[in-house]
Amino acid sequence: MPLMWRYLLKKIISIFSLSIFSFIIVLLITRTHDIARFAILSSNPSGVALFVLCQIPYILPIAIPLSCLISAFMTMSQLSSAHEVTAFRSLGFNLKSLLTPILLLGLFLGCVNFMVAAELTPRARKVAQKLIFSS
């Protein structure tokens, strides 16, 4: 992997991780009504924690694409404002080689998002419903 790709991916992944963590926290706060209702019905604190963890797969199909978009825009904005794009271009890199790691990471995150939406979310829904019915 070229050094430039590692540099760009490090920047993108740091912004992506921060934004996805923020989205998860904010969207979990919007689900406090369901979590509070379950916490009232359940006397088991570990069951409440498991119920909260089961809410995260509902949030990820929304948070992953938005976080990917935000991280790509912010990374390119930071590179442009620091004149790093100009420096890369003067070193002989074209825009295609600058955008390739961003597009490959977006393709990978799209596949991860599909797997979360297709596999993880239905299983989390099943576990959450079992927790609701058992309490």
Side-chain angles (χ1 to χ4, degrees):
M1 181 183 311
L3 183 64
M4 180 198 55
W5 282 30
R6 282 185 276 169
Y7 176 72
L8 289 174
L9 287 175
K10 186 174 107 174
K11 280 185 159 294
I12 292 171
I13 290 173
S14 66
I15 295 171
F16 176 79
S17 60
L18 178 65
S19 65
I20 200 156
F21 179 73
S22 301
F23 274 121
I24 287 173
I25 296 298
V26 168
L27 292 174
L28 268 179
I29 290 172
T30 63
R31 290 187 161 269
T32 54
H33 180 69
D34 297 332
I35 296 169
R37 187 176 340 144
F38 180 76
I40 290 170
L41 295 175
S42 177
S43 61
N44 187 3
S46 63
V48 175
L50 182 61
F51 186 77
V52 170
L53 285 177
C54 287
Q55 300 302 309
I56 292 175
Y58 294 118
I59 295 168
L60 288 178
I62 299 166
I64 289 174
L66 288 174
S67 298
C68 188
L69 181 69
I70 288 170
S71 64
F73 276 138
M74 287 188 66
T75 301
M76 290 309 289
S77 164
Q78 287 176 355
L79 290 176
S80 293
S81 66
H83 303 290
E84 291 179 75
V85 173
T86 308
F88 283 136
R89 296 288 306 261
S90 68
L91 289 173
F93 295 109
N94 54 10
L95 284 178
K96 181 180 138 188
S97 63
L98 284 175
L99 295 178
T100 301
I102 297 172
L103 293 175
L104 289 176
L105 182 66
L107 179 66
F108 173 73
L109 289 174
C111 293
V112 167
N113 191 30
F114 175 74
M115 293 301 293
V116 166
E119 297 291 329
L120 190 61
T121 302
R123 290 181 187 180
R125 178 183 295 269
K126 184 178 177 183
V127 170
Q129 285 186 352
K130 279 185 182 179
L131 286 171
I132 289 172
F133 291 137
S134 68
S135 63

